[in-house]
Amino acid sequence: MKDAIRHLDQRFKTLRPLLAAPRPPKGWVRAIRDAIGMTAVQLAARMGVDQPRITELEKAELSGSITLRSLERAAEALGCRVVYALVPEKPL
């Protein structure tokens, strides 16, 4: 058990700096979309949905109600990957 905890703590050590990275004000999807110059219409086309769905998706990210699957689909369409982890704020 202690070895498992020690192993997890080592893995989390590299992830802890991410705790200090706040979500961009308009969310990650919008921030990346804007940074690469992609319109909501273009993202919608890549995802196979209508443009209003992108607005809903971006609002859902901000409110915290986005599904992991929706986030993964958006990330894929943006050329990104979702990295999902629970990172303890202090060592286990």
Side-chain angles (χ1 to χ4, degrees):
M1 181 70 107
K2 288 184 180 186
D3 284 340
I5 290 173
R6 192 171 21 258
H7 177 72
L8 280 174
D9 275 338
Q10 278 302 109
R11 293 186 71 187
F12 291 139
K13 193 177 199 177
T14 60
L15 298 174
R16 272 199 193 86
L18 295 175
L19 295 175
R23 180 175 53 200
K26 293 183 180 180
W28 289 108
V29 173
R30 178 67 183 269
I32 292 169
R33 183 170 67 73
D34 287 348
I36 63 175
M38 183 183 291
T39 67
V41 171
Q42 291 169 319
L43 180 56
R46 285 189 181 195
M47 292 180 67
V49 299
D50 293 329
Q51 184 278 327
R53 177 66 188 114
I54 300 306
T55 301
E56 292 172 10
L57 183 141
E58 291 175 349
K59 286 180 181 177
E61 182 189 1
L62 287 176
S63 72
S65 64
I66 193 168
T67 66
L68 188 54
R69 180 66 194 131
S70 292
L71 191 57
E72 287 171 337
R73 286 186 64 217
E76 183 179 331
L78 291 165
C80 298
R81 282 184 36 198
V82 172
V83 178
Y84 179 84
L86 300 177
V87 181
E89 293 181 14
K90 58 184 182 178
L92 298 172

